[in-house]
């Protein structure tokens, strides 16, 4: 077995086109680091949520040029099998380690396969790539990004010609085509022949961004903004300038792209400490709100002044921002369907139904939300918002930021705040309190064990609330295709448990709904909601053995 492992590593080493990963693997072979080699060669990096994502390094279970070339060759073969030979593939990339290399390798493989390839002019937000696919009439798009993952990670997100991320059966068919790719030296990779796009595609995206705003709406909100060392700064500031908002105050330490993400433990605005520098900047400049994008700027985080919060600022949850934007669009008189994933707050459904609008729930991910017929607005609790589905059929942290700033400006003219509107929504629809139990693991078997335990011994009550129904989503429902997840309905609450599709995490999404008759009852309702969420989290962790 040892000799077989080293033999496989030597075969991979002989094919690897990257000097860095070749040196890395050669050292592992030389020192006979069998544990590390076994990890690197324990299968292949799986084509999961919209594509690939993983730790950079040598070997088939890591993100590397060798893995990306195979992925690109498989995607090219799939597109040709679909009758798209000669079609255009647009390629975007962020500022992470190796992103430029992966984008160039993809362009070379597409060109060598007889497709046309066009690469965005520089590291840009993922929504610019999603826009460019439809704008340029491409048959597919690739974005090299690991979104908000740790610095050591990178990824490969695939879109088809409708501008949406891939879903079954395309993902499985592409995975099969990747597995069928032969030795890398059989994959043609010319040194040129693809197009590097100019700024025109970005200009076209920016020209569309302010169409998400109401004609003549107030644009007075003052914003502190952080890109969290990602690629959002130049595009967001340009969008705010076009729309006529005051120039955002930048968090200087995090404004420029830096793949090391030196000021944060995780480059995700949801993670503890990620927003500390933004809040420090806000205390100096006294803005109306704080806005953050994740590193590829497809997510948008919002914080509001709150004297009761530590440091004077409170992060809004993705569900709170999702409800605020929905209420704002309703008051502007939009028509169409509102959609969200099953892990997001049920408040959106109440807002849509009261407004007489269509409403749909989908599986987790914008690859599903974006495909809802007649979609006008979609959101997911993980800070993702689609506010211009005709332009970007995916989450877009730039246009979402514009819409949040517009709403804050409208409320500011009325002498009110985003917090005041949240209070109104709680009185109108009930207080929808949400939380998450999220467990990051080193050993993926911990997740499998927890899911098996919950399936074999499902809880009958959580926090004293009886479980009124339980669904194993692995079997699908009348409205949802199968997925690995569990959904529990309780008296006044809902719980969903699922493995993350992009990180080694088990995620449990909790929601309780507390009726509120008047604003005077809000403090007691919030206390009750927090108490129930704490109890559900405690009892669910015990039931899952985590």
């Amino acid at each position: 077995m040892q000799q077989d492992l080293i033999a496989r590593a030597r075969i991979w080493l002989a094919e690897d086109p990257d000097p860095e990963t070749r040196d890395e693997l050669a050292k592992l072979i030389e020192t006979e680091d069998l544990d590390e080699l076994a990890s690197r060669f324990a299968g292949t990096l799986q084509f999961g949520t919209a594509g690939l994502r993983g730790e950079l390094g040598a070997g088939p279970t890591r993100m590397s040029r060798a893995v990306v070339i195979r992925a690109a060759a498989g995607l090219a073969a799939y597109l040709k099998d679909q009758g798209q030979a000669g079609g255009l593939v647009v390629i975007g990339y962020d500022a992470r380690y190796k992103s430029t290399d992966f984008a160039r390798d993809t362009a070379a493989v597409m060109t060598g396969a007889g497709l046309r390839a066009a690469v965005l002019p520089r590291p840009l937000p993922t929504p610019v790539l999603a826009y460019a696919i439809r704008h340029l009439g491409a048959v597919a798009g690739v974005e090299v990004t690991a979104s908000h993952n740790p610095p050591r990670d990178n990824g490969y997100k695939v879109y088809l010609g409708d501008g949406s991320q891939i879903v079954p059966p395309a993902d499985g068919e592409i995975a099969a085509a990747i597995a069928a790719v032969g030795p890398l030296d059989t994959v043609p990779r010319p040194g040129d022949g693809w197009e590097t796009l100019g700024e025109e595609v970005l200009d076209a995206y920016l020209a569309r961004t302010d169409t998400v705003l109401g004609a003549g709406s107030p644009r007075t909100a003052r914003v502190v903004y952080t890109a969290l060392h990602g690629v959002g700064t130049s595009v967001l500031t340009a969008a705010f300038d076009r729309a006529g908002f005051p120039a955002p105050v930048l968090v200087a330490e995090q404004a420029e792209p830096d793949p090391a993400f030196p000021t944060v433990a995780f480059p995700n605005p949801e993670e503890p400490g990620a927003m500390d520098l933004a809040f420090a900047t806000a205390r100096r400049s006294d803005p109306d709100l704080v806005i953050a994008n994740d590193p590829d700027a497809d997510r948008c985080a919002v914080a509001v002044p709150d004297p009761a919060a530590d440091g004077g600022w409170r992060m809004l949850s993705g569900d709170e921002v999702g409800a605020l934007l929905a209420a704002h669009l309703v008051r502007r008189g939009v028509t169409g369907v509102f959609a969200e994933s099953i892990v997001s707050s049920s408040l959106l459904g109440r807002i849509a139904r009261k407004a007489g609008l269509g409403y749909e729930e989908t599986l987790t991910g914008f690859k599903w939300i974006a495909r809802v017929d007649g979609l006008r607005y979609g959101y997911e609790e993980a800070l993702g918002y689609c506010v211009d589905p005709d332009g970007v059929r995916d989450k877009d942290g730039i246009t979402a930021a514009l819409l949040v700033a517009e709403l804050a400006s409208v409320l500011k003219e009325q002498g009110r705040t985003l917090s005041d509107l949240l209070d109104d929504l709680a009185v109108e629809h009930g207080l929808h309190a949400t939380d998450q139990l999220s467990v990051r693991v080193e050993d993926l078997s911990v997740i499998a064990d927890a899911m098996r335990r919950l399936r074999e011994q499902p809880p009958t009550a959580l926090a004293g609330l009886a479980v009124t129904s339980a669904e194993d989503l692995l079997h699908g429902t009348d409205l949802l295709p199968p997925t690995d997840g569990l959904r529990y309905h309780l008296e006044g609450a809902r719980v969903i448990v699922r493995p993350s599709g992009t990180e080694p995490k088990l995620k449990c999404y909790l929601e309780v709904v507390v009726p509120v008759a008047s604003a005077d009852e809000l403090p007691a309702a919030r206390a009750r909601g927090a108490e129930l969420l704490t109890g559900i989290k405690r009892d669910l962790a015990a039931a899952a053995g985590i």
Side-chain angles (χ1 to χ4, degrees), residues 457-469:
Q457 298 177 294
T460 57
L462 297 169
L465 302 176
V467 175
T468 57
S469 68

Side-chain angles (χ1 to χ4, degrees), residues 30-266:
E30 182 183 347
T31 59
E32 296 190 352
D33 189 338
L34 298 180
D35 288 344
E36 187 62 24
L37 285 170
S39 171
R40 303 295 183 98
F41 287 85
T44 58
L45 194 61
Q46 291 302 299
F47 210 73
T49 300
L52 300 167
R53 193 178 295 185
E55 185 177 349
L56 291 164
T61 65
R62 301 290 191 267
M63 280 296 296
S64 66
R65 289 186 59 201
V67 165
V68 164
I69 290 166
R70 288 184 177 279
L75 174 59
Y78 167 82
L79 292 172
K80 290 165 77 173
D81 285 345
Q82 297 295 310
Q84 306 285 6
L88 174 67
V89 179
V90 188
I91 302 152
Y93 58 103
D94 65 11
R96 284 179 176 265
Y97 295 120
K98 297 288 183 182
S99 285
T100 305
D101 294 338
F102 295 166
R104 186 177 58 246
D105 283 333
T106 301
V109 171
M110 295 301 162
T111 303
L115 292 142
R116 293 179 294 124
V119 183
L120 293 185
R122 52 191 168 88
L124 287 168
T126 294
V128 177
L129 181 277
Y131 168 80
I133 294 167
R134 301 178 73 198
H135 176 66
L136 297 173
V139 299
V142 170
E143 176 70 16
V144 179
T145 181
S147 188
H148 56 280
N149 277 38
R152 65 179 183 273
D153 290 0
N154 212 329
Y156 198 79
K157 185 179 288 191
V158 177
Y159 299 75
L160 293 182
D162 62 355
S164 300
Q165 299 174 42
I166 53 171
V167 295
D171 54 357
E173 292 168 358
I174 294 170
I178 293 170
V181 173
L184 287 192
D185 61 10
T186 67
V187 178
R189 301 200 313 275
D192 56 27
W194 58 88
E195 179 184 4
T196 299
L197 296 167
E199 295 292 316
E200 298 82 12
V201 67
L202 175 60
D203 292 342
Y205 167 82
L206 285 169
R208 190 178 174 91
T209 54
D210 59 1
T211 64
V212 305
L213 306 175
S217 64
R219 316 276 168 94
T220 57
R222 292 177 299 107
V223 171
V224 159
Y225 171 73
T226 176
L228 289 183
H229 302 293
V231 297
T233 296
S234 64
V235 179
L236 182 132
T237 53
F240 269 59
D241 180 59
R242 285 184 59 93
F245 286 101
V249 176
L250 302 181
V251 179
E253 302 93 329
Q254 299 172 334
E256 296 303 317
D258 187 334
F261 303 106
T263 68
V264 292
F266 284 90

Side-chain angles (χ1 to χ4, degrees), residues 52 200 293 318 329 355 483 498:
L52 300 167
E200 298 82 12
N293 287 139
L329 291 170
T483 188
R498 60 177 283 271

Side-chain angles (χ1 to χ4, degrees), residues 357-441:
L357 298 174
Y359 167 74
E360 284 198 34
E361 275 190 324
T362 74
L363 293 184
T364 307
F366 268 82
K367 63 183 181 180
W368 298 108
I369 294 171
R371 285 180 159 74
V372 168
D373 287 340
L375 181 68
R376 177 56 184 84
Y377 167 64
Y379 99 90
E380 191 159 67
E381 53 73 43
L383 310 182
Y385 315 94
C386 175
V387 301
D388 177 24
D390 289 339
V392 175
R393 202 159 284 183
D394 198 3
K395 54 187 176 291
D396 183 346
I398 305 298
T399 50
L402 286 174
L403 202 60
V404 169
E406 179 186 55
L407 172 57
S409 301
V410 170
L411 293 168
K412 185 177 180 180
E413 285 207 343
Q414 300 168 359
R416 307 179 75 239
T417 65
L418 296 178
S419 298
D420 293 330
L421 181 52
L422 285 172
D423 289 349
D424 292 349
L425 292 172
V427 173
E428 186 175 1
H429 301 287
L431 177 73
H432 289 62
T434 59
D435 200 359
Q436 192 177 128
L437 172 62
S438 182
V439 181
R440 183 181 289 272
V441 301

